[in-house]
Amino acid sequence: QVQLQESGPGLVKPSGTLSLTCAVSGGSINDRGWWSWVRQPPGKGLEWLGEISPSGTANYKPSLTSRVTISIDKSKNHLFLNLRSVTAADTAVYYCVRGGWSKFDTWGQGTLVAVSS
Amino acid sequence: QSALTQPPSASGSPGQSVTISCTGTSSDVGGYNYVSWYQQHPGKAPKLMIYEVSKRPSGVPDRFSGSKSDNTASLTVSGLQPEDEADYYCSSYAGSNNGVFGGGTKLTVL
């Protein structure tokens, strides 16, 4: 079965860029229609950041469109997240997720990213 | 897009049934049959429990069921078990390649 593993720096400075990688194993990015990033601030609820299709079409949460970019590398079976101009409000556990709004059916274990100087 | 409204908490005794509501608008819950429910235990990733309002992924016990009426979706857990104690989140497609999650409900098994 497919597994997702997020990786990246656990600490990012304010105004910097948060960059995460999601490695997909046990399946291919081409197998599904959408792949998403979802985050969860400590003690709070889930927030969808955006999604990307195997063809590279991306959709983003409207309030984050100016700061977020999601991309894929099908040759490596990897998914990427870039979030620019971060503040403390971007501190969260970031999840790589297989699926879109019809269903988010497989989640990575998540990675905690703190924004602090 | 405002978050879907869920009660902060719900509870029930083992063996009982509990229903968690998820209220949106005609632009999200009421407008599409793309409502999902997720279970999250502390420190763990969310797990898909219900999708497209009432469908259960393989491996999810049939004690979990979903429904929708107008702008409100519901998750019912029947025959509550101790391992059902967790946070539950609903989500809905809201059109224009966008969607929204609920604020979450903490389910306590008494």
Side-chain angles (χ1 to χ4, degrees):
Chain A
Q1 73 187 44
V2 69
Q3 293 184 315
L4 310 176
Q5 180 66 60
E6 305 89 348
S7 62
L11 182 64
V12 180
K13 294 186 184 303
S15 78
T17 297
L18 182 159
S19 296
L20 296 177
T21 299
C22 172
V24 179
S25 60
S28 169
I29 281 180
N30 281 320
D31 289 346
R32 282 302 176 96
W34 296 99
W35 300 80
S36 301
W37 286 95
V38 175
R39 71 181 179 182
Q40 184 173 34
K44 297 187 178 181
L46 303 171
E47 179 185 18
W48 177 77
L49 303 180
E51 62 186 3
I52 190 166
S53 71
S55 66
T57 299
N59 299 307
Y60 303 117
K61 180 174 181 175
S63 61
L64 293 174
T65 297
S66 63
R67 296 201 293 133
V68 66
T69 301
I70 295 174
S71 57
I72 57 174
D73 182 335
K74 289 192 286 186
S75 67
K76 294 183 178 179
N77 231 20
H78 284 176
L79 182 69
F80 305 99
L81 172 71
N82 276 347
L83 183 64
R84 298 172 291 279
S85 304
V86 297
T87 69
D90 295 309
T91 293
V93 174
Y94 286 76
Y95 294 101
C96 173
V97 188
R98 184 178 72 170
W101 286 107
S102 61
K103 58 179 175 178
F104 299 109
D105 65 12
T106 304
W107 297 63
Q109 66 183 29
T111 187
L112 175 63
V113 180
V115 178
S116 175
S117 54
Chain B
Q1 191 69 41
S2 300
L4 304 175
T5 300
Q6 297 182 234
S9 62
S11 63
S13 299
Q16 289 186 332
S17 294
V18 64
T19 297
I20 299 171
S21 61
C22 170
T23 301
T25 69
S26 58
S27 296
D28 39 60
V29 174
Y32 305 93
N33 287 323
Y34 289 126
V35 175
S36 299
W37 289 90
Y38 302 87
Q39 176 192 67
Q40 185 178 36
H41 288 110
K44 301 295 186 181
K47 174 186 176 183
L48 177 67
M49 304 301 284
I50 296 288
Y51 68 100
E52 293 178 11
V53 178
S54 60
K55 297 179 180 179
R56 263 181 295 106
S58 61
V60 172
D62 60 6
R63 303 185 293 103
F64 291 85
S65 61
S67 62
K68 189 183 81 165
S69 177
D70 296 328
N71 298 335
T72 298
S74 298
L75 172 71
T76 297
V77 186
S78 304
L80 269 176
Q81 297 187 4
E83 60 264 33
D84 298 334
E85 183 163 297
D87 293 328
Y88 290 83
Y89 293 91
C90 62
S91 73
S92 174
Y93 182 61
S96 302
N97 300 310
N98 191 26
V100 63
F101 281 99
T105 297
K106 181 177 182 60
L107 174 60
T108 300
V109 180
L110 301 171

